[in-house]
Amino acid sequence: MTEFAGHLPGLSTEEVEWRVLDFAAWGESVQVSVPVLSEAQSLALAARVRENARAYLKTRSVAQIVATLDKAVARLLDRDDPWRRKAEALLPIVTGYDAETVRLGLSGYLRTFRAPQLQRFLAEDFANPAVLDAFQPAMKGGFTRAHGPELLLHVWAGNVPGLPLWSLISGLLVKAGTVGKVASAEPLLAGWFARVLGEIDPRMGECLAIVWWKGGDADSEQVWLDQADTVVAFGGNAALTAIRDRAPVTARFLAHGHKIGFGLVSAAALDTRRAGPLARLVAHDVMRYEQQGCYAPQMLFVERGGKISPRDFAEQVSRELAGFARRHPRRALSVAEAAGVASWRNAEEMRAFDGEGRVVLGDAADPWSVVLVEEAEPLAPSGLNRTLKIVAVDRLDDVIPLIAPFRAFLQSAAVAATPEELFRIAALLGEAGVTRICAFGRMTAPEAGWHNDGRFNLLDLVTITEIEQSAELAAEGFADYVD
Amino acid sequence: MKFRDKTILVTGASRGIGAALAKAFAAEGGLVIVNYRRSEAAAQAVVEACRAAGGQALAIAADVTVPEEVAAMVAVIGEEAGRIDAVVNNAFAPYVFDPDDRARFWETPWSAYQAQVDGALKATYHVCQAVLPLMRQRGRGAIVNMASDLVARPSIAYHDYTTAKAALIGFSRNLATELGPLGIRVNCVAPGLVYPTDASRGTREAVKDMLIAQTPLGRIATPEDVAGPVLFLASDWSGFVTGQTLHVDGGLVMS
Ligand SMILES: NC(=O)c1ccc[n+]([C@@H]2O[C@H](COP(=O)([O-])OP(=O)(O)OC[C@H]3O[C@@H](n4cnc5c(N)ncnc54)[C@H](OP(=O)(O)O)[C@@H]3O)[C@@H](O)[C@H]2O)c1
């Protein structure tokens, strides 16, 4: 089976060179052809997208754009839709995630992009979203209007299906001519979304392109970086630095680097009735997408003093992961990933051997791993792919010094605590740099309109044009009705 | 070789059903801990038979009604094997099944009940407590407790014995509920009359004939008959089975 990735308005399949990426998982395989554009093709495509967006997208009202996006999302939510079927059939093979994870994950993401959620998303960033359509009176006097980029370039990373839609949709909401570069690990969904948009509104479909180049291919990247006035990039710090260094200084560069999610469990949540369900939610967050997303938990801090000890709780989480191993089997790991998991577990086992207060739960051959540590330990990445360290602490506040040194890596934290504790600890977490606090079970599913990395994701994309009061008043002076 | 690299503790394995179980686990490649109380020579013979059957075995003397002895035994297992995959609580306080001269209720002192409860329930309690840390760390394990089909069908009223076994079944179900979330399964095997063992050696032919007449499979169980169901419940073949009582009596009891 061959599937063509990307979305290249104005270019026919024949005139483009394609490279084949091979994917295999769950006993099936698929070949994905990704476009390799010449410099001339890239430049022409950039010009076309920019021009189409200027001539069409920017003339549409935000409400109209929301309506079109809503229709496209509805198509992908409909399990009988051919695009949705294709996604359910191919994404498990491409990403290695089990079919159920893909199905549930896709629906979960897409639901956050229905019209009401998109309106909320807009309202989060714009007191009056109409500033995207026309000049609106400003409180201080004068008028303001927000303009999205002429050409917005997204450089996506990773393989969590649907993740690129966050930034793709953000760009379209602010009427940006949009070019998205898909990751080799999941090159399909963004292109499909673009094509669905094109089926619903062909002219809108010509206002965006989905392209590919091999990550790190500096020449191809440079062509696009030179064209974009705004760049949103995802990935590790090294990759981000490389992109930033090549982007023109005049371009706005918005980076989303790697993050380490974590969780806090208060003793109040640890009684014999509630600890079990909570352990399942924790395990769910660890299992979903194999900790590949920036928001996945890699460490858990558990307060002592509850009826259920941190050790008991660790065992329960480990057992829940065993249950999930059947329901949502771990995807096959690459050699490097398997080595990462093994070396993480080995290191923990060595330390457990040396000293008291560290237990490695389960068997080395298990497709998950939980380590319990009785001594305070600073935040650190886990081995990913369902590996979790649980650190016992005397008080939740003890967690703050353990995470504060890693401000650049902080983003999501799940908290299970009483309301008083939640607000007290949230204040401390926020000070330390955490930007998103959620419930367990929701770590991998940020709510509609969330502020990724604590940024105003739509506001960051726009520039504001202000008609100052002076201009308005001066114009009055030149009116033909002036007395 | 269902039990290769696995460690199985069988209590009361020097004789009778326990000895048959030990050999069956060994034949499936397991490392069997042959627990006994006094019969050292018999236990050594079981160890030899286990090795001959293709497994490994280690005899450890411990009175399972004494917590300290159980703890010491499990400590040795921890050092020698580092793990326990399955435990069969089979040891059994001496009891004479004599339908011709059994104690009727009004002849049965509380001390007789107490002795049976200690032998069946207390022993199992101590063994379960002792092996739990090893099982919990690995998030897996199987416990099989030996009950009796007399609980479901007291053809002959052995008050003290059967009441203690009934308590054991209730104990096992609660334990199954508690330990399920930790990955540990608890089940019972309830044989009918098993012949021959030292406990059943004196059973008269007439009694056996009566039982055989009512048993669909038309015979009395041998110790080997018990092995299959126990191995099943101790292995991951029964990975989604817990809190159950499996009757091994040729269909005498159906539930
Ligand atoms: N036989 C039957 O008809 C029948 C029917 C239904 C259920 N069962 C059950 O099956 C199990 C085994 O019965 P069986 O007939 O095979 O018994 P058995 O032949 O009398 O053997 C009893 C075993 O238990 C050991 N033992 C006794 N007390 C002990 C203690 N305090 N600590 C450690 N080990 C102890 C003995 O060790 P020593 O040799 O060192 O004394 C011996 O290995 C029992 O739970 C019984 O209730 C039997």
Side-chain angles (χ1 to χ4, degrees):
Chain A
M1 196 184 340
T2 299
E3 180 66 27
F4 286 87
H7 174 67
L8 311 167
L11 283 171
S12 68
T13 311
E14 295 73 47
E15 54 189 316
V16 173
E17 185 192 330
W18 298 89
R19 175 164 318 162
V20 174
L21 305 178
D22 288 301
F23 296 94
W26 310 110
E28 292 182 80
S29 63
V30 62
Q31 298 192 313
V32 177
S33 293
V34 288
V36 184
L37 301 181
S38 68
E39 181 173 351
Q41 285 172 324
S42 298
L43 292 176
L45 188 58
R48 205 172 303 131
V49 167
R50 195 187 289 114
E51 174 53 25
N52 290 343
R54 191 193 59 72
Y56 182 69
L57 192 57
K58 291 186 194 297
T59 68
R60 309 285 287 165
S61 70
V62 186
Q64 287 169 320
I65 294 172
V66 165
T68 308
L69 290 171
D70 184 53
K71 280 188 198 139
V73 168
R75 289 271 304 269
L76 287 174
L77 274 169
D78 174 4
R79 296 198 61 205
D80 293 326
D81 185 89
W83 290 106
R84 170 67 187 223
R85 288 201 190 172
K86 196 198 273 274
E88 287 193 19
L90 296 189
L91 290 179
I93 308 172
V94 167
T95 63
Y97 299 120
D98 72 282
E100 282 291 277
T101 293
V102 167
R103 181 175 71 76
L104 295 170
L106 264 186
S107 295
Y109 272 128
L110 290 165
R111 264 201 299 274
T112 59
F113 299 127
R114 298 306 307 272
Q117 286 75 21
L118 293 176
Q119 280 155 0
R120 177 160 303 131
F121 202 177
L122 286 161
E124 279 300 319
D125 281 21
F126 298 101
N128 175 8
V131 288
L132 289 161
D133 294 335
F135 279 105
Q136 300 291 322
M139 298 287 266
K140 65 175 171 60
F143 282 77
T144 50
R145 167 150 190 198
H147 292 279
E150 293 199 293
L151 194 71
L152 166 60
L153 174 66
H154 304 270
V155 182
W156 293 309
N159 71 349
V160 177
L163 212 46
L165 295 184
W166 280 109
S167 71
L168 179 65
I169 286 177
S170 302
L172 294 174
L173 283 175
V174 299
K175 310 182 189 182
T178 294
V179 175
K181 184 264 178 202
V182 291
S184 302
E186 198 287 272
L188 288 172
L189 187 66
W192 291 337
F193 186 76
R195 284 186 249 169
V196 175
L197 271 181
E199 284 180 12
I200 291 164
D201 180 348
R203 289 194 69 188
M204 184 149 164
E206 290 175 351
C207 299
L208 73 163
I210 304 297
V211 302
W212 178 88
W213 64 80
K214 191 165 167 37
D217 172 354
D219 292 340
S220 303
E221 198 170 79
Q222 193 63 57
V223 175
W224 284 107
L225 287 173
D226 288 342
Q227 295 303 309
D229 50 307
T230 305
V231 179
V232 179
F234 299 81
N237 283 345
L240 291 177
T241 309
I243 297 172
R244 188 194 57 198
D245 289 350
R246 282 199 289 273
V249 283
T250 47
R252 191 179 295 182
F253 183 76
L254 303 164
H256 294 284
H258 281 331
K259 304 289 172 187
I260 306 175
F262 63 95
L264 294 102
V265 179
S266 149
L270 295 175
D271 61 30
T272 49
R273 181 171 62 86
R274 289 177 291 194
L278 183 61
R280 180 161 308 161
L281 295 174
V282 170
H284 172 278
D285 289 341
V286 171
M287 167 278 298
R288 179 68 86 222
Y289 303 127
E290 319 293 3
Q291 296 164 305
Q292 301 299 308
C294 49
Y295 34 49
Q298 301 192 39
M299 213 156 170
L300 200 64
F301 298 96
V302 179
E303 193 181 27
R304 290 193 186 88
K307 166 84 177 157
I308 301 293
S309 70
R311 164 76 195 253
D312 293 340
F313 192 65
E315 286 176 10
Q316 293 192 359
V317 172
S318 178
R319 268 314 297 172
E320 294 297 340
L321 284 169
F324 279 124
R326 299 253 175 164
R327 257 171 75 198
H328 299 291
R330 186 171 72 182
R331 79 201 155 97
L333 302 186
S334 70
V335 175
E337 285 173 319
V341 170
S343 75
W344 181 82
R345 189 177 164 107
N346 285 346
E348 295 298 330
E349 274 173 346
M350 294 294 283
R351 292 174 69 185
F353 203 71
D354 287 347
E356 283 291 293
R358 182 181 305 261
V359 199
V360 183
L361 297 167
D363 274 358
D366 291 335
W368 76 91
S369 219
V370 175
V371 174
L372 174 84
V373 187
E374 296 283 357
E375 292 270 304
E377 225 175 81
L379 185 69
S382 79
L384 301 182
N385 297 299
R386 310 193 189 190
T387 55
L388 180 71
K389 183 178 286 183
I390 298 184
V391 177
V393 292
D394 287 327
R395 292 173 335 121
L396 288 184
D397 300 51
D398 297 349
V399 174
I400 303 302
L402 302 176
I403 58 148
F406 309 99
R407 174 175 282 273
F409 292 97
L410 301 183
Q411 182 209 63
S412 294
V415 175
T418 65
E420 299 79 45
E421 288 175 319
L422 169 65
F423 285 98
R424 191 173 49 73
I425 203 74
L428 299 174
L429 290 172
E431 248 172 61
V434 171
T435 56
R436 171 174 174 252
I437 293 162
C438 65
F440 284 102
R442 301 297 304 169
M443 287 197 83
T444 64
E447 69 187 4
W450 75 308
H451 296 108
N452 187 1
D453 289 341
R455 300 296 316 180
F456 286 88
N457 304 122
L458 299 177
L459 268 182
D460 272 355
L461 296 175
V462 300
T463 43
I464 300 290
T465 302
E466 296 186 308
I467 302 174
E468 290 194 357
Q469 213 168 358
S470 63
E472 195 188 340
L473 290 176
E476 286 290 334
F478 303 122
D480 47 15
Y481 52 77
V482 74
D483 295 324
Chain B
M1 285 293 177
K2 199 61 187 163
F3 289 91
R4 167 136 297 155
D5 297 329
K6 303 242 171 354
T7 304
I8 308 97
L9 166 62
V10 182
T11 68
S14 51
R15 294 180 272 133
I17 296 171
L21 295 177
K23 288 176 223 166
F25 279 115
E28 288 294 330
L31 161 56
V32 187
I33 310 302
V34 176
N35 159 255
Y36 65 101
R37 190 180 41 171
R38 294 212 190 88
S39 314
E40 191 181 343
Q44 277 311 331
V46 173
V47 166
E48 292 309 321
C50 286
R51 290 185 184 143
Q56 294 170 278
L58 179 68
I60 305 182
D63 183 334
V64 288
T65 60
V66 180
E68 295 74 25
E69 295 193 22
V70 174
M73 170 171 69
V74 172
V76 173
I77 300 172
E79 277 160 32
E80 296 287 324
R83 61 192 280 165
I84 295 185
D85 296 278
V87 172
V88 185
N89 285 297
N90 165 84
F92 162 56
Y95 193 79
V96 181
F97 298 98
D98 184 350
D100 302 357
D101 189 26
R102 66 175 182 90
R104 287 163 298 168
F105 175 63
W106 50 91
E107 295 163 341
T108 310
W110 175 250
S111 59
Y113 282 89
Q114 188 68 58
Q116 283 303 309
V117 168
D118 285 354
L121 191 56
K122 192 173 159 202
T124 301
Y125 167 88
H126 289 315
V127 172
C128 289
Q129 289 284 15
V131 299
L132 208 49
L134 277 174
M135 288 189 170
R136 283 176 64 170
Q137 170 156 0
R138 294 178 52 244
R140 67 198 69 203
I143 295 172
V144 181
N145 296 332
M146 294 302 289
S148 164
D149 79 340
L150 287 169
V151 173
R153 179 175 172 163
S155 310
I156 300 165
Y158 296 115
H159 297 283
D160 42 3
Y161 173 79
T162 304
T163 301
K165 290 295 192 189
L168 183 63
I169 292 175
F171 168 88
S172 302
R173 289 179 178 162
N174 280 281
L175 202 57
T177 303
E178 183 88 278
L179 300 186
L182 300 175
I184 302 166
R185 298 180 299 107
V186 187
N187 290 285
C188 293
V189 167
L193 178 64
V194 178
Y195 187 89
T197 74
D198 288 343
S200 60
R201 208 167 295 283
T203 313
R204 289 180 198 283
E205 288 310 307
V207 175
K208 283 190 266 174
D209 288 343
M210 178 207 49
L211 284 173
I212 288 169
Q214 294 174 22
T215 299
L217 291 179
R219 61 178 179 82
I220 296 286
T222 64
E224 290 71 30
D225 284 324
V226 183
V230 170
L231 264 62
F232 165 70
L233 290 174
S235 76
D236 53 18
W237 273 326
S238 59
F240 203 50
V241 177
T242 196
Q244 304 301 310
T245 300
L246 191 49
H247 291 97
V248 184
D249 61 1
L252 187 66
V253 165
M254 296 192 187
S255 63

